């Protein structure tokens, strides 16, 4: 007796019914299942599908970036050129700016500022950072590329009642506000939300076989059509993974291209050698290391920068790493002892991930990361480690007006007179990368 399908698997959304002269053409929704197919082949796509899927109703989607936390935590600015803060009780007019050479628009009357004679950094003198004074802002005047402030000195140290000489680019930090009794409401400043955009990209994969081949029982795999279908679904999923990793946002000749996390960092980051650089608003971190430099101490130095709580990111990141990078960290002195005795000065731990991956966790005082093997990091990406803040990336499938463009299978797309079977897998989706400064890419050279 013939075996018949008792029902349809799972149709796409009602608005997605396809008119066709082929009565057997059907649309099956695989959007929630394709990520479960061989998850070790496409870890980034799996993580995004499970924890970061946010449908969009526009193929050019827009999103907001909130840097309020950054603005509140880091309330610093720079003294422009060498100047003098007069003794306590006296007023001084100072010219200040930001590290980017812009006016400090958020300064208002009533703020209390801590000034230091010099930065506590390389190039500063021994006592400059602890030769300090506090002052209250009495008035503010914003210019095109800097700000003039009139301040009244409150106190100075270590020498009381003395003027304080401020070097060029000496740091000043707002440490609160202070107002007299019975005074009115203060002036106001606020951090506006930034905005950015992304594109969805159309991915297509076809599976085709003649009806003669479908009816033939082969050795090895008797049903060749079923074997090909499995491979084509995996091929489609891996194609999406490649785009989400290496793509660069663009639109050419009517075809849209999605952003990829590595492509975004390479395009917008500034390469630094032996470190991941310093914070720059709107720019991701990009560092080049040798194998000798990328030890536990080198990693800890990078974590100090990228996990700074003043920069808006989370304290736990996903790290996608190539196979040679995974091997490199397993060879770091102390890791072997961990495998043998469970004791080491490095907080490295191997475990099973939530979504079917083997992971290696690194815990530090600055933050933690979960390292996952990324098999597509090869060729030009052999030395890559991509640190991704999952709170600031999203998988954006196009869904609107009752039509779901997330992964689906359309059967029997062949011409009506063709003696064959042809099905198509289609996905229209893109990657949203927000707050780029929460992501980082480290490349280990000659690994």
């Amino acid at each position: 007796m013939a075996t018949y399908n008792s029902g349809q698997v799972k149709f796409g959304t009602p608005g997605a019914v396809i008119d066709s002269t082929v009565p057997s053409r059907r649309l099956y929704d695989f959007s929630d299942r394709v990520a479960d197919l061989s998850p070790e082949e496409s870890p980034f796509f799996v993580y995004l599908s499970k924890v970061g899927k946010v449908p969009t109703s526009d193929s050019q989607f827009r999103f907001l970036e909130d840097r309020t936390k950054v603005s509140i935590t880091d309330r610093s600015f720079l003294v422009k050129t060498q100047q003098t803060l007069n003794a306590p009780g006296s007023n001084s007019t100072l010219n200040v700016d930001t590290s980017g050479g812009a006016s400090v628009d958020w300064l208002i009357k009533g703020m209390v500022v801590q000034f230091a004679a010099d930065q506590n950094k390389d190039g500063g003198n021994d006592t400059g950072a602890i030769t300090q004074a506090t002052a209250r802002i009495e008035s503010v005047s914003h210019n095109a590329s800097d700000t003039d402030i009139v301040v009244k000195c409150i106190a100075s140290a270590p020498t009381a009642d003395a003027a304080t000489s401020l070097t060029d680019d000496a740091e000043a930090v707002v440490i609160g506000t202070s107002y007299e009794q019975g005074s009115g409401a203060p002036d106001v400043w606020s951090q506006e939300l930034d905005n950015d955009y992304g594109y969805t990209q159309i991915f297509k994969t076809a599976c085709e076989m003649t009806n003669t081949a479908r009816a033939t029982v082969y050795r090895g795999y008797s049903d060749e059509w079923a074997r090909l279908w499995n491979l084509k679904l995996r091929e489609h999923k891996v194609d999406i993974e490649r785009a989400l990793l290496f793509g660069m946002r663009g639109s050419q000749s009517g075809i849209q291209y999605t952003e990829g996390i590595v492509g975004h960092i390479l395009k917008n980051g500034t390469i630094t050698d032996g470190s991941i650089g310093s914070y720059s608003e709107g720019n991701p971190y990009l560092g080049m290391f040798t194998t000798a430099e990328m030890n536990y101490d080198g990693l800890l130095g990078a974590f100090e920068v990228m996990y700074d709580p003043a920069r808006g990111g989370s304290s736990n990141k996903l790290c996608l790493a190539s196979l040679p990078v995974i091997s490199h960290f397993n060879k770091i002195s102390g890791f072997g002892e961990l495998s043998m005795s469970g004791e080491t000065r490095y907080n490295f731990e191997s475990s099973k991930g939530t979504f079917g991956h083997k992971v290696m966790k690194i815990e530090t005082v600055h933050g933690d990361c979960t390292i996952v093997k990324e098999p597509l990091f090869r060729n030009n990406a052999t030395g890559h480690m991509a640190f991704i803040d999952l709170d600031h990336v999203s998988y954006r499938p196009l869904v609107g007006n009752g039509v779901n463009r997330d992964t689906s299978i359309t059967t029997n797309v062949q011409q009506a007179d063709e003696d064959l079977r042809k099905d198509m897998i289609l996905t229209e989706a893109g990657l949203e990368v927000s707050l780029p400064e929460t992501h980082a890419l480290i490349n280990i050279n000659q690994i």
Side-chain angles (χ1 to χ4, degrees):
M1 178 181 293
T3 301
Y4 297 98
N5 187 357
S6 60
Q8 295 153 342
V9 180
K10 182 182 178 185
F11 279 105
T13 50
V17 175
I18 298 175
D19 295 327
S20 173
T21 57
V22 182
S24 58
R25 183 174 293 187
R26 293 290 185 268
L27 178 70
Y28 298 101
D29 182 3
F30 268 70
S31 57
D32 295 329
R33 290 181 283 176
V34 67
D36 296 327
L37 185 64
S38 300
E40 70 282 353
E41 291 180 335
S42 52
F44 189 37
F45 177 65
V46 171
Y47 274 85
L48 288 173
S49 297
K50 299 298 183 182
V51 302
K53 181 184 286 191
V54 182
T56 176
S57 58
D58 193 340
S59 63
Q60 181 178 328
F61 53 87
R62 293 191 172 274
F63 52 91
L64 298 175
E65 297 176 325
D66 187 0
R67 291 185 171 86
T68 305
K69 179 180 178 180
V70 179
S71 300
I72 292 175
T73 307
D74 187 2
R75 304 282 294 280
S76 64
F77 55 96
L78 302 178
V79 174
K80 188 174 182 179
T81 71
Q82 184 170 345
Q83 301 177 63
T84 299
L85 178 65
N86 294 327
S90 302
N91 285 355
S92 307
T93 300
L94 302 177
N95 186 239
V96 300
D97 63 0
T98 66
S99 59
S103 61
V104 192
D105 296 332
W106 46 268
L107 291 179
I108 60 174
K109 179 182 177 180
M111 286 181 169
V112 179
V113 181
Q114 175 202 60
F115 292 93
D118 202 351
Q119 292 185 346
N120 187 26
K121 298 179 179 178
D122 291 342
N125 61 54
D126 293 340
T127 61
I130 59 173
T131 302
Q132 298 183 0
T134 56
R136 180 182 185 270
I137 297 178
E138 301 296 327
S139 66
V140 180
S141 176
H142 297 297
N143 308 314
S145 59
D146 53 30
T147 298
D148 293 318
I149 57 175
V150 176
V151 299
K152 176 172 285 187
C153 186
I154 303 167
S156 61
T159 303
D161 302 324
T164 304
S165 179
L166 308 175
T167 61
D168 182 25
D169 284 342
E171 290 183 320
V173 182
V174 173
I175 58 173
T177 58
S178 183
Y179 297 92
E180 62 185 359
Q181 297 181 24
S183 59
D187 295 332
V188 64
W189 71 275
S190 61
Q191 173 74 30
E192 295 183 356
L193 296 180
D194 300 315
N195 67 88
D196 204 349
Y197 71 97
Y199 290 123
T200 60
Q201 181 172 328
I202 299 174
F203 301 88
K204 292 182 179 181
T205 306
C207 184
E208 179 180 297
M209 181 176 284
T210 66
N211 289 324
T212 301
R214 290 177 60 215
T216 302
V217 178
Y218 293 93
R219 290 179 293 176
Y221 293 91
S222 60
D223 190 346
E224 183 69 2
W225 179 251
R227 186 186 74 85
L228 284 180
W229 247 121
N230 176 279
L231 292 176
K232 287 298 179 180
L233 278 170
R234 290 165 60 184
E235 175 189 329
H236 187 80
K237 175 176 62 76
V238 171
D239 281 347
I240 297 175
E241 174 91 349
R242 292 183 192 277
L244 299 183
L245 288 174
F246 305 114
M248 294 185 184
R249 183 184 67 192
S251 178
Q252 300 290 338
S253 304
I255 301 176
Q256 294 183 166
Y257 303 90
T258 184
E259 192 81 277
I261 186 64
V262 173
H264 177 86
I265 296 174
L266 292 175
K267 184 178 179 181
N268 298 285
T270 300
I271 299 174
T272 54
D273 193 15
S275 74
I276 62 169
S278 57
Y279 173 79
S280 177
E281 182 177 309
N283 296 314
Y285 299 107
L286 177 57
M288 306 288 286
F289 290 76
T290 65
T291 53
E293 291 170 333
M294 184 39 64
N295 50 28
Y296 186 80
D297 294 339
L299 194 64
L300 195 64
F303 280 14
E304 179 185 342
V305 177
M306 75 171 74
Y307 284 105
D308 186 346
R311 305 313 180 191
S314 68
S315 60
N316 200 322
K317 299 186 189 295
L318 171 69
C319 175
L320 301 177
S322 68
L323 277 66
V325 170
I326 294 286
S327 297
H328 172 74
F329 279 100
N330 277 267
K331 295 174 184 177
I332 287 180
S333 175
F335 192 88
E337 287 81 350
L338 172 65
S339 302
M340 299 295 290
S341 64
E343 296 180 359
T344 175
R345 71 185 184 93
Y346 303 143
N347 293 319
F348 286 17
E349 178 186 351
S350 180
S351 62
K352 186 75 172 179
T354 306
F355 306 125
H357 305 100
K358 287 185 177 180
V359 303
M360 184 168 66
K361 294 183 178 180
I362 302 179
E363 298 179 357
T364 74
V365 67
H366 299 298
D368 308 333
C369 79
T370 302
I371 301 181
V372 179
K373 180 172 58 179
E374 175 52 78
L376 299 184
F377 277 177
R378 57 183 68 245
N379 306 118
N380 298 330
T382 303
H384 281 6
M385 295 178 69
F387 293 87
I388 304 164
D389 193 323
L390 290 176
D391 290 340
H392 298 292
V393 289
S394 298
Y395 177 65
R396 306 298 303 270
L398 181 61
V399 180
N401 295 325
V403 180
N404 186 350
R405 298 278 286 175
D406 203 351
T407 304
S408 62
I409 298 172
T410 307
T411 63
N412 294 293
V413 298
Q414 71 276 357
Q415 297 298 315
D417 61 345
E418 292 182 311
D419 183 23
L420 53 83
R421 167 78 178 269
K422 185 177 183 179
D423 295 350
M424 179 180 68
I425 313 168
L426 183 144
T427 302
E428 184 168 2
L431 179 68
E432 173 187 316
V433 182
S434 62
L435 287 183
E437 57 266 41
T438 63
H439 312 293
L441 178 67
I442 289 176
N443 187 76
I444 304 178
N445 300 326
Q446 300 176 353
I447 194 168

